[in-house]
Amino acid sequence: MSDVAIATPLTELVGVRHPIVQTGMGWVAGPRLVSAAANAGALGILASATMTLEQLRSAVREVKSRTDAPFGVNLRADASDATDRVQILLDEGVKVASFALAPNRELIVRLKAAGVIVIPSIGARRHAEKVAAWGADAVVVQGGEGGGHTGSVATTVLLPQVVDAVDIPVIAAGGFHDGRGLVAALAYGAAGVAMGTRFLLTSDSTVPDAVKARYLTATVQDVTVTTQVDGLPHRMLRTELVDSLERSGRTAALLRALRHAAAFKRESGMSWTGMVRDGLAMKHGKELSWSQVLLAANIPMMLKAAMVDGRPDLGVMASGQVAGLIDDLPSCAELVDRVMAEAHATLQRLPSAQ
């Protein structure tokens, strides 16, 4: 483990050695990656949205068997079984709860009453202000460079807005992969950085080798934003499949979404009633049309096709723009050590104030 350490409000809040977060990527951030990130001194986040309740409990216990370091679990605040998932975190003594969408006030209060640190991800200043007022302990701020569902405002514009707006630690996400980026984020006032694509492209990641190879050959121009997968802006690698999706008509897209919804029902064990409840929550929370809600059924199974089954020709590969700058597969320990060494060297090179 690196001898270089930088103490920030993030490291003090969650008790990790380094101000680095491995994000909760669906089908990717499983027990092996999370425990490797945690053992390297970063905050590993387990992705739970694609797990059943039983799989989530088992995954949490596996992480705990692999590491004594703090780690977190990422939850969907709008899921119909969100309260059941929160109870698993409480039962298993998970230290951090992160959220892809802003949790409601009641969830935050319940988690904090049990001593769990709450860290939502947000994409706008007003959302950060809202969750901070509700008692969130920190926020992850993802700019438009980030992978998966994303906004249009760059990290360098969004990050200082949020830092100036809230009094809780702010973690920068979107475009980070090395020590120079960490130093830049700290200079903006962030308490650390969160990285998804960079941790996906490690030897500890369970993503199939053929899929990792596609990421490693991508240029910055090969990472695009499309709305044709689920009706919302989604940043991913541009592939032949993405091109075909963008050429397909609305009817074909909806039929494909129906097939994927049925497949996800089988995979997750959810009932149609539960899926409809989740759809209603999503529709209300994001003001989506019913066709957009149906299109959202594409995402879990199309991600699984690539990230689990190793079929980039049949699935999609969520990706930050930073994939175009990554060309190797270090272990999590090697990656974190490298980032911290680069951060130290970068700080040493900065001119002294006169």
PDB file of all heavy atoms in Angstrom, residues 2 22 42 56 80 93 129 168 239 243 261 288 297 302 343 347:
ATOM      1  N   SER A   2       0.442   2.276  -0.724  1.00  0.00           N
ATOM      2  CA  SER A   2       1.235   3.490  -0.870  1.00  0.00           C
ATOM      3  C   SER A   2       1.513   4.154   0.471  1.00  0.00           C
ATOM      4  O   SER A   2       0.663   4.191   1.368  1.00  0.00           O
ATOM      5  CB  SER A   2       0.494   4.484  -1.776  1.00  0.00           C
ATOM      6  OG  SER A   2       1.156   5.717  -1.818  1.00  0.00           O
ATOM      7  N   GLN A  22     -14.348   4.016  -5.416  1.00  0.00           N
ATOM      8  CA  GLN A  22     -14.673   3.128  -6.545  1.00  0.00           C
ATOM      9  C   GLN A  22     -16.198   3.080  -6.626  1.00  0.00           C
ATOM     10  O   GLN A  22     -16.862   2.691  -5.684  1.00  0.00           O
ATOM     11  CB  GLN A  22     -14.075   1.732  -6.321  1.00  0.00           C
ATOM     12  CG  GLN A  22     -14.662   0.629  -7.182  1.00  0.00           C
ATOM     13  CD  GLN A  22     -15.628  -0.219  -6.404  1.00  0.00           C
ATOM     14  OE1 GLN A  22     -15.291  -0.778  -5.354  1.00  0.00           O
ATOM     15  NE2 GLN A  22     -16.861  -0.321  -6.881  1.00  0.00           N
ATOM     16  N   ALA A  42      -8.973   2.609  -0.746  1.00  0.00           N
ATOM     17  CA  ALA A  42     -10.050   3.432  -1.301  1.00  0.00           C
ATOM     18  C   ALA A  42     -11.387   3.009  -0.681  1.00  0.00           C
ATOM     19  O   ALA A  42     -11.459   2.026   0.070  1.00  0.00           O
ATOM     20  CB  ALA A  42     -10.104   3.276  -2.822  1.00  0.00           C
ATOM     21  N   LEU A  56     -27.837  -9.659  -2.438  1.00  0.00           N
ATOM     22  CA  LEU A  56     -27.236  -8.502  -1.784  1.00  0.00           C
ATOM     23  C   LEU A  56     -26.671  -8.895  -0.419  1.00  0.00           C
ATOM     24  O   LEU A  56     -25.525  -8.562  -0.096  1.00  0.00           O
ATOM     25  CB  LEU A  56     -28.263  -7.383  -1.621  1.00  0.00           C
ATOM     26  CG  LEU A  56     -27.823  -6.175  -0.781  1.00  0.00           C
ATOM     27  CD1 LEU A  56     -26.562  -5.547  -1.332  1.00  0.00           C
ATOM     28  CD2 LEU A  56     -28.954  -5.149  -0.688  1.00  0.00           C
ATOM     29  N   SER A  80     -38.906  -0.305  -5.369  1.00  0.00           N
ATOM     30  CA  SER A  80     -40.035  -0.642  -4.505  1.00  0.00           C
ATOM     31  C   SER A  80     -39.599  -1.362  -3.238  1.00  0.00           C
ATOM     32  O   SER A  80     -40.305  -1.330  -2.230  1.00  0.00           O
ATOM     33  CB  SER A  80     -41.041  -1.511  -5.274  1.00  0.00           C
ATOM     34  OG  SER A  80     -40.417  -2.693  -5.759  1.00  0.00           O
ATOM     35  N   GLY A  93     -24.300  -4.315   9.146  1.00  0.00           N
ATOM     36  CA  GLY A  93     -23.314  -3.363   9.631  1.00  0.00           C
ATOM     37  C   GLY A  93     -22.532  -2.653   8.546  1.00  0.00           C
ATOM     38  O   GLY A  93     -21.354  -2.313   8.748  1.00  0.00           O
ATOM     39  N   GLU A 129     -28.011  20.740  -2.759  1.00  0.00           N
ATOM     40  CA  GLU A 129     -28.550  21.567  -1.678  1.00  0.00           C
ATOM     41  C   GLU A 129     -29.697  20.863  -0.964  1.00  0.00           C
ATOM     42  O   GLU A 129     -29.812  20.923   0.273  1.00  0.00           O
ATOM     43  CB  GLU A 129     -29.017  22.912  -2.244  1.00  0.00           C
ATOM     44  CG  GLU A 129     -27.877  23.793  -2.738  1.00  0.00           C
ATOM     45  CD  GLU A 129     -28.369  25.011  -3.498  1.00  0.00           C
ATOM     46  OE1 GLU A 129     -29.482  24.952  -4.078  1.00  0.00           O
ATOM     47  OE2 GLU A 129     -27.647  26.022  -3.515  1.00  0.00           O
ATOM     48  N   ILE A 168     -20.994  20.229   3.205  1.00  0.00           N
ATOM     49  CA  ILE A 168     -20.604  18.844   3.429  1.00  0.00           C
ATOM     50  C   ILE A 168     -19.544  18.456   2.401  1.00  0.00           C
ATOM     51  O   ILE A 168     -19.386  19.132   1.375  1.00  0.00           O
ATOM     52  CB  ILE A 168     -21.821  17.894   3.328  1.00  0.00           C
ATOM     53  CG1 ILE A 168     -22.513  18.047   1.968  1.00  0.00           C
ATOM     54  CG2 ILE A 168     -22.803  18.160   4.468  1.00  0.00           C
ATOM     55  CD1 ILE A 168     -23.687  17.105   1.763  1.00  0.00           C
ATOM     56  N   THR A 239     -20.465   1.523 -30.521  1.00  0.00           N
ATOM     57  CA  THR A 239     -20.237   0.230 -31.161  1.00  0.00           C
ATOM     58  C   THR A 239     -21.215   0.062 -32.308  1.00  0.00           C
ATOM     59  O   THR A 239     -22.106   0.896 -32.512  1.00  0.00           O
ATOM     60  CB  THR A 239     -20.446  -0.924 -30.164  1.00  0.00           C
ATOM     61  OG1 THR A 239     -21.832  -0.909 -29.727  1.00  0.00           O
ATOM     62  CG2 THR A 239     -19.535  -0.790 -28.946  1.00  0.00           C
ATOM     63  N   ASP A 243     -24.835   2.018 -32.950  1.00  0.00           N
ATOM     64  CA  ASP A 243     -25.200   2.622 -34.239  1.00  0.00           C
ATOM     65  C   ASP A 243     -26.528   2.063 -34.754  1.00  0.00           C
ATOM     66  O   ASP A 243     -27.370   2.812 -35.254  1.00  0.00           O
ATOM     67  CB  ASP A 243     -24.099   2.363 -35.271  1.00  0.00           C
ATOM     68  CG  ASP A 243     -22.849   3.193 -35.017  1.00  0.00           C
ATOM     69  OD1 ASP A 243     -22.958   4.228 -34.327  1.00  0.00           O
ATOM     70  OD2 ASP A 243     -21.770   2.804 -35.501  1.00  0.00           O
ATOM     71  N   ALA A 261     -37.453  -6.450 -20.495  1.00  0.00           N
ATOM     72  CA  ALA A 261     -38.169  -6.378 -19.218  1.00  0.00           C
ATOM     73  C   ALA A 261     -38.513  -7.782 -18.727  1.00  0.00           C
ATOM     74  O   ALA A 261     -38.371  -8.099 -17.541  1.00  0.00           O
ATOM     75  CB  ALA A 261     -39.438  -5.538 -19.374  1.00  0.00           C
ATOM     76  N   LEU A 288     -40.907  11.094 -16.671  1.00  0.00           N
ATOM     77  CA  LEU A 288     -40.736  10.390 -17.935  1.00  0.00           C
ATOM     78  C   LEU A 288     -42.083  10.012 -18.528  1.00  0.00           C
ATOM     79  O   LEU A 288     -43.078   9.851 -17.815  1.00  0.00           O
ATOM     80  CB  LEU A 288     -39.920   9.101 -17.714  1.00  0.00           C
ATOM     81  CG  LEU A 288     -38.556   9.240 -17.042  1.00  0.00           C
ATOM     82  CD1 LEU A 288     -37.920   7.863 -16.907  1.00  0.00           C
ATOM     83  CD2 LEU A 288     -37.652  10.150 -17.836  1.00  0.00           C
ATOM     84  N   ALA A 297     -36.140  -0.496 -19.401  1.00  0.00           N
ATOM     85  CA  ALA A 297     -35.964  -1.934 -19.182  1.00  0.00           C
ATOM     86  C   ALA A 297     -34.803  -2.487 -19.993  1.00  0.00           C
ATOM     87  O   ALA A 297     -34.313  -3.581 -19.715  1.00  0.00           O
ATOM     88  CB  ALA A 297     -37.249  -2.673 -19.550  1.00  0.00           C
ATOM     89  N   MET A 302     -28.996  -5.245 -21.172  1.00  0.00           N
ATOM     90  CA  MET A 302     -28.005  -4.912 -22.189  1.00  0.00           C
ATOM     91  C   MET A 302     -26.628  -4.702 -21.562  1.00  0.00           C
ATOM     92  O   MET A 302     -25.611  -5.012 -22.175  1.00  0.00           O
ATOM     93  CB  MET A 302     -28.447  -3.693 -22.992  1.00  0.00           C
ATOM     94  CG  MET A 302     -29.697  -3.956 -23.816  1.00  0.00           C
ATOM     95  SD  MET A 302     -30.107  -2.597 -24.936  1.00  0.00           S
ATOM     96  CE  MET A 302     -28.991  -2.927 -26.288  1.00  0.00           C
ATOM     97  N   ALA A 343      -0.237  12.027  -7.505  1.00  0.00           N
ATOM     98  CA  ALA A 343      -0.754  13.210  -6.811  1.00  0.00           C
ATOM     99  C   ALA A 343       0.358  13.886  -6.021  1.00  0.00           C
ATOM    100  O   ALA A 343       0.504  15.123  -6.049  1.00  0.00           O
ATOM    101  CB  ALA A 343      -1.904  12.811  -5.886  1.00  0.00           C
ATOM    102  N   LEU A 347       1.828  17.641  -6.729  1.00  0.00           N
ATOM    103  CA  LEU A 347       1.882  18.677  -5.697  1.00  0.00           C
ATOM    104  C   LEU A 347       3.302  19.230  -5.537  1.00  0.00           C
ATOM    105  O   LEU A 347       3.491  20.437  -5.339  1.00  0.00           O
ATOM    106  CB  LEU A 347       1.386  18.112  -4.370  1.00  0.00           C
ATOM    107  CG  LEU A 347      -0.124  17.841  -4.287  1.00  0.00           C
ATOM    108  CD1 LEU A 347      -0.447  17.036  -3.036  1.00  0.00           C
ATOM    109  CD2 LEU A 347      -0.904  19.150  -4.303  1.00  0.00           C
TER     110      LEU A 347
END
